[in-house]
Amino acid sequence: MSSTIKREIQRRRTFGIISHPDAGKTTLTEKLLLFGGAIQMAGAVKSRKTDNHAVSDWMSIEQERGISVTSSVMKFNYRDCEINLLDTPGHKDFSEDTYRVLTAVDSALMVIDSAKGVETQTMKLMEVCRMRNTPIITFINKLDREGLDPLDILAEIEDKLQIECTPLSWPIGMGKNFKGVYNIHQRQLHLFTPSQATSLQDGLLVKDINDPVLEELLGSQADTLREDLELLEGAANPFEHEEYMKASQTPVFFGSAVNNFGVKEMLDAFIELAPPPGPRPTTDRFVLPDEESFSGFTFKIQANMNPAHRDRIAFFRICSGKFTRGMKIAHHRLGKEVTLSNATIFMAQDRSNVEEAYPGDIIGIHNHGTIKIGDTFTEKEPLKFTGIPNFAPEHFRRILLKNPLKAKQLNKGLEQMAEEGAVQLFKPLMDSNYILGAVGVLQFDVIMARLKAEYGVDATTEPVEYATARWIYYNDTSKLDEFKNKNQANIAVDAEGHLTFLASNDWWLERTMENFPEISFQKTREYN
Ligand code: G4P
């Protein structure tokens, strides 16, 4: 492997931001892009929150997004690094999409609102990061407002997220009394000045924390800082890179994204600490990024919402080797060779044809439904990357067609949207109507609106008696027939042909699991 490729791998950082809605993800993203010179002005990054919007608003937001899918991956340079920031939808109802995006990152940045502490969505996203031990850096935001005691926030993170905190910076006051942060690692004091600008003054080096200059700068808060630091020295664990890499420790920074304060320090630490692309598991072996041969997988499909062009973009993470435009690769699920001539690379505000790309980079591949989530492409070796999950849905609806003549279009629409991962689709053994499964209820509304807009299908949904789903796996087929016979009304086949058990409540599920110990009931399923 050439030294150029090794160097390119070393300077890449591919990450996503995890946070509860409103913690400041969009604001922070914008500041990061400003530092990277990828955008010139504040206000260029639009929040994709949908909390206060009707579905129609959401649709138009998505439509905008369809035309400029660039916001899904933002690539920028900072110092000597090439950074791929993968966007994750903010709304909890679309968290499945977020989960899959997290399979394509090498590390994550967790944003916490200092007034709210650890919130529900953060906990869910953290669970997903845990599945792959994704290293996490924490940014505690909104210090310009009154918030919780910083020590209490750290204790809450440790308790609720089960990860050890090591503060690398420490805040001095908060809200009206917010004076700045002290960088423990570099012994530098950064005084707070509300600002939208990116040119920041350097921190003041304070070699000795007992230096009386602190009194001049901080007044009575100087003593509080000394006390806090002494307390931390005794109580907090020293930062260890190995522990961060194993996701058992998270370095913590404090700041205010909207004031662009503490962001640059965090970004500087990020590029030093966060890992470049590493080995990736396949069903047979680990693939190393510096292997000669090209490989990668698809983690997201985005339908181009322009009805005139039914094409879709597959987001593809490169895991090894070098991509060059026009290269021929094997699409193993289809057993076909394909030429990648029209791949797109994502810049923050632009997308352009990609000539070459390296491990850690995300490329967009246009297709008409041939590529599915989880598909592996390699130069030759028949590999299958693992760890791209489907999550058992928690909400279900039966879909009813208003005009029976449109059955074909309905099936096509549902199948395509299931392939995109926009919804899960189940065909019950005993019923001819499809059941839709979703992790968040808003998904149903979007599916119905899209069926009408993109496939010309008028359909409605009705509630069903199911409340939970599990995928069925078995080694021993002898019990399978008995299981099927006894549970006919609760068995369906999903869009990829897997048997699925749909239970009306947890109690029923547990009872069935006890009755059939030979059968394994899985909450997640890997893509085929
Ligand atoms: P999200 O993507 O995580 O959902 O959050 P977003 O960045 O949209 O931020 C949510 C709200 O928090 C926004 O206010 C934003 O301005 C504010 N915010 C972000 N960082 C800080 C900070 O450091 N300090 C303070 N005080 N506020 C911060 P909004 O009123 O909802 O929107 P806007 O009208 O200000 O855009």
Side-chain angles (χ1 to χ4, degrees):
M1 168 104 329
S2 81
S3 58
T4 321
I5 298 184
K6 280 207 158 104
R7 199 171 55 242
E8 291 300 331
I9 295 168
Q10 281 311 313
R11 63 190 208 93
R12 277 187 171 56
R13 302 286 181 276
T14 300
F15 80 110
I17 302 183
I18 59 172
S19 69
H20 191 85
D22 264 352
K25 183 174 67 110
T26 312
T27 313
L28 185 66
T29 301
E30 182 181 282
K31 303 301 173 205
L32 295 175
L33 295 180
L34 280 167
F35 279 120
I39 54 171
Q40 272 69 47
M41 274 184 319
V45 179
K46 298 205 175 46
S47 173
R48 282 169 36 207
K49 281 190 304 252
T50 50
D51 274 342
N52 306 319
H53 295 288
V55 171
S56 55
D57 285 345
W58 187 85
M59 286 296 287
S60 60
I61 292 169
E62 283 298 284
Q63 248 154 26
E64 254 174 52
R65 202 156 66 94
I67 297 159
S68 65
V69 282
T70 50
S71 56
S72 297
V73 182
M74 290 161 273
K75 192 175 176 64
F76 63 97
N77 294 306
Y78 184 68
R79 291 179 25 198
D80 190 35
C81 283
E82 277 210 24
I83 302 176
N84 291 294
L85 167 52
L86 273 54
D87 191 27
T88 49
H91 197 287
K92 68 171 174 37
D93 281 12
F94 300 96
S95 48
E96 263 200 288
D97 200 19
T98 302
Y99 299 158
R100 282 189 294 257
V101 168
L102 289 175
T103 64
V105 302
D106 298 309
S107 72
L109 187 62
M110 173 163 75
V111 184
I112 287 185
D113 182 332
S114 71
K116 305 231 175 97
V118 175
E119 296 174 87
T120 47
Q121 187 65 3
T122 324
M123 287 169 37
K124 277 200 166 180
L125 292 165
M126 183 72 183
E127 257 176 56
V128 179
C129 288
R130 277 229 177 285
M131 290 165 72
R132 296 180 47 243
N133 287 336
T134 309
I136 294 170
I137 291 181
T138 301
F139 184 75
I140 308 216
N141 191 26
K142 306 196 188 180
L143 264 289
D144 60 317
R145 284 200 187 157
E146 291 300 324
L148 304 168
D149 184 305
L151 281 171
D152 289 344
I153 301 178
L154 299 192
E156 192 176 296
I157 296 175
E158 297 205 336
D159 180 44
K160 288 195 177 158
L161 304 179
Q162 292 295 303
I163 189 165
E164 206 176 86
C165 293
T166 52
L168 295 189
S169 81
W170 196 251
I172 303 154
M174 65 172 82
K176 282 197 202 80
N177 295 319
F178 183 49
K179 288 281 163 54
V181 292
Y182 180 73
N183 187 319
I184 301 176
H185 192 51
Q186 293 167 340
R187 299 181 175 211
Q188 285 193 356
L189 182 69
H190 292 265
L191 292 175
F192 175 59
T193 41
S195 148
Q196 299 280 334
T198 51
S199 54
L200 295 179
Q201 66 208 60
D202 286 335
L204 302 165
L205 189 66
V206 184
K207 276 202 181 128
D208 180 0
I209 191 74
N210 291 314
D211 193 328
V213 74
L214 280 188
E215 261 72 19
E216 275 169 41
L217 297 168
L218 305 174
S220 63
Q221 282 174 275
D223 260 347
T224 318
L225 173 65
R226 289 188 190 111
E227 281 164 24
D228 281 353
L229 292 178
E230 201 178 295
L231 192 74
L232 285 177
E233 208 166 310
N237 299 289
F239 174 68
E240 284 177 58
H241 194 254
E242 214 175 290
E243 297 300 312
Y244 158 68
M245 290 296 291
K246 285 194 290 193
S248 54
Q249 201 179 64
T250 176
V252 180
F253 293 85
F254 292 84
S256 167
V258 80
N259 289 298
N260 203 2
F261 186 78
V263 178
K264 183 172 180 293
E265 282 177 279
M266 197 252 327
L267 179 59
D268 284 334
F270 169 80
I271 60 169
E272 255 156 56
L273 304 178
R280 291 259 156 186
T282 70
T283 43
D284 302 319
R285 65 182 185 88
F286 273 88
V287 170
L288 304 178
D290 58 2
E291 286 180 23
E292 198 85 38
S293 190
F294 172 87
S295 72
F297 63 89
T298 306
F299 61 93
K300 178 184 168 93
I301 305 276
Q302 172 99 45
N304 197 337
M305 308 284 271
N306 180 352
H309 305 278
R310 277 281 167 74
D311 71 332
R312 303 196 280 176
I313 290 185
F315 288 79
F316 183 87
R317 147 103 198 196
I318 302 176
C319 296
S320 69
K322 177 180 170 183
F323 166 83
T324 42
R325 186 177 158 92
M327 79 190 296
K328 286 192 168 53
I329 48 170
H331 184 179
H332 295 294
R333 187 177 50 81
L334 298 183
K336 262 192 178 165
E337 194 180 65
V338 286
T339 306
L340 288 181
S341 50
N342 64 348
T344 303
I345 194 115
F346 300 94
M347 300 304 287
Q349 274 193 320
D350 191 16
R351 48 180 163 148
S352 50
N353 274 341
V354 54
E355 296 299 329
E356 49 189 49
Y358 297 91
D361 283 340
I362 311 298
I363 55 175
I365 307 171
H366 292 267
N367 69 101
H368 291 276
T370 46
I371 304 178
K372 291 207 297 186
I373 292 172
D375 280 357
T376 295
F377 289 175
T378 70
E379 265 180 78
K380 232 188 246 125
E381 189 184 350
L383 293 173
K384 170 86 189 111
F385 285 99
T386 57
I388 303 123
N390 245 314
F391 290 83
E394 289 157 24
H395 304 278
F396 301 85
R397 294 266 203 288
R398 180 177 290 112
I399 190 154
L400 302 170
L401 189 57
K402 285 189 184 159
N403 175 357
L405 292 175
K406 293 273 185 176
K408 216 170 133 188
Q409 284 90 332
L410 174 76
N411 291 355
K412 185 173 167 205
L414 290 177
E415 276 162 26
Q416 290 196 347
M417 286 189 279
E419 280 173 16
E420 256 177 59
V423 75
Q424 295 191 44
L425 199 57
F426 300 97
K427 189 91 205 265
L429 295 184
M430 305 272 290
D431 182 358
S432 58
N433 290 311
Y434 277 113
I435 304 286
L436 301 181
V439 173
V441 287
L442 194 56
Q443 281 176 263
F444 294 130
D445 299 339
V446 170
I447 293 301
M448 303 317 283
R450 285 188 58 187
L451 272 177
K452 193 162 179 148
E454 295 170 38
Y455 299 90
V457 175
D458 246 332
T460 53
T461 62
E462 64 174 22
V464 279
E465 56 284 13
Y466 309 125
T468 184
R470 291 293 182 272
W471 283 284
I472 306 286
Y473 288 83
Y474 47 88
N475 287 328
D476 172 6
T477 49
S478 62
K479 283 280 173 182
L480 189 67
D481 286 341
E482 184 190 338
F483 170 72
K484 276 177 148 175
N485 287 337
K486 284 206 168 139
N487 295 285
Q488 280 197 22
N490 292 71
I491 296 180
V493 176
D494 77 3
E496 293 197 311
H498 279 263
L499 274 190
T500 317
F501 179 62
L502 304 174
S504 44
N505 55 49
D506 287 340
W507 177 83
W508 185 251
L509 172 68
E510 271 163 40
R511 229 190 77 149
T512 312
M513 285 165 75
E514 276 165 25
N515 288 342
F516 291 92
E518 304 81 2
I519 289 175
S520 143
F521 297 78
Q522 301 283 335
K523 219 176 168 175
T524 57
R525 179 176 73 69
E526 294 259 327
Y527 278 87
N528 277 345

